[in-house]
Amino acid sequence: MGETPSEAPSELMVDFIISLDGYASAQGWPGWWGLEGPEYLAWLEQEGKKDYTLLMGANTYRLMSSMSEEAAAEGSEFSEEEGASLTGLAAVPKVIFSSTLQAPLTWPNSELVTGDAVEAVKEMKRTGTGPLSTLGSVSLCRSLLAAGLVDRFRLVVFPVITGRTGQERIYDGYPDVSLEMAESRTFDGRLQLLEYVPKVLSGPPGVSPA
C-alpha cells in the first residue's frame, strides 16, 4: 500500500509575509500593512485548515500567544478576520524553540524544546511527523535554511517600502541561495505569493569554492 504519512519524511516550509524591501514588520503600521483583502483572507483560512505543525522561537511565541489571547477577549480591537486568524492558532500544534521559556507553556497545543533547534527539526523531518511550517521567527528560519532543512520557501510580498519604519530584516545573515519557482499567484490585485524550492549555495553559481 506504500508509505503511511508517519513513515514519509516531513517537508518544512519557511513562510513569511514581507514588504517589498525585505522587512517582516514596520513600526506604527497595522497588521498585514493594512492591505489584507478578501482573496488573501480566504486563502489564509484555507491554509489554516491544513495539518501543519508550526515552528517558532521565543519572541514570536510571546507576541503571537499574547495577540491570540487578546483577540479572544471580549471587546477586542482586532477586526473579525484578524481575530478569527489569531484565535484559530490556539488549536494548531506548535513547537517552540527556546532556552529562556519555562514549561508548561500557557498557549494551548504548544510544546517547548530547549535543545538545538536544527537537530530537533532534523529529527522531526526524519520521523515524518507531518508537514512543518515556520511562523515568523526570522533567526530560526535563517538557521534552518542554512542547515539545508527547508523544502519550500514561501513569501507573500506586500506592495510597500518601509525603509524608515521597517523592522526585522528578513535576509540579513543568509547564505547564498538559488530559488526554483514552484508557485505564484496574486491576491486582491496587489499581494504577490511566491513559493520556491531553495538550494543553499557555497558561492555564486559557476564559481568554484576557493
Side-chain angles (χ1 to χ4, degrees):
M1 297 294 292
E3 290 184 324
T4 64
S6 62
E7 294 171 337
S10 296
E11 286 203 342
L12 168 62
M13 178 168 62
V14 160
D15 196 14
F16 282 120
I17 63 171
I18 187 170
S19 67
L20 185 62
D21 54 340
Y23 288 97
S25 62
Q27 185 177 10
W29 288 67
W32 296 309
W33 287 274
L35 294 174
E36 72 276 13
E39 290 181 4
Y40 178 60
L41 292 172
W43 175 79
L44 281 180
E45 182 178 0
Q46 290 301 313
E47 285 295 295
K49 295 176 181 178
K50 296 182 179 179
D51 295 328
Y52 287 114
T53 295
L54 297 179
L55 313 180
M56 68 188 80
N59 290 339
T60 298
Y61 171 83
R62 293 186 183 100
L63 174 65
M64 298 305 298
S65 61
S66 175
M67 290 174 65
S68 180
E69 182 178 353
E70 181 183 346
E74 186 175 350
S76 168
E77 295 184 357
F78 290 106
S79 70
E80 182 178 350
E81 294 83 0
E82 289 175 322
S85 178
L86 289 167
T87 55
L89 289 173
V92 178
K94 298 169 287 288
V95 177
I96 319 302
F97 299 98
S98 173
S99 59
T100 58
L101 294 173
Q102 299 292 321
L105 298 175
T106 57
W107 203 9
N109 299 298
S110 297
E111 175 188 352
L112 177 63
V113 174
T114 58
D116 182 81
V118 168
E119 291 303 317
V121 173
K122 189 180 298 183
E123 181 65 10
M124 292 173 71
K125 285 172 59 70
R126 186 189 67 81
T127 55
T129 55
L132 309 171
S133 178
T134 58
L135 178 64
S137 308
V138 172
S139 59
L140 173 65
C141 294
R142 181 172 58 239
S143 297
L144 297 176
L145 183 71
L149 297 178
V150 178
D151 301 289
R152 293 292 179 108
F153 193 86
R154 186 170 73 182
L155 309 168
V156 177
V157 182
F158 285 68
V160 294
I161 294 174
T162 54
R164 182 165 57 86
T165 56
Q167 297 177 322
E168 297 183 288
R169 287 177 58 86
I170 297 292
Y171 304 122
D172 286 357
Y174 266 46
D176 289 354
V177 183
S178 67
L179 299 168
E180 179 184 347
M181 179 68 74
E183 182 182 352
S184 66
R185 63 178 293 188
T186 301
F187 300 114
D188 305 298
R190 58 179 178 265
L191 310 182
Q192 188 69 45
L193 180 145
L194 302 169
E195 185 171 329
Y196 300 99
V197 177
K199 179 182 179 182
V200 177
L201 305 174
S202 58
V207 178
S208 300

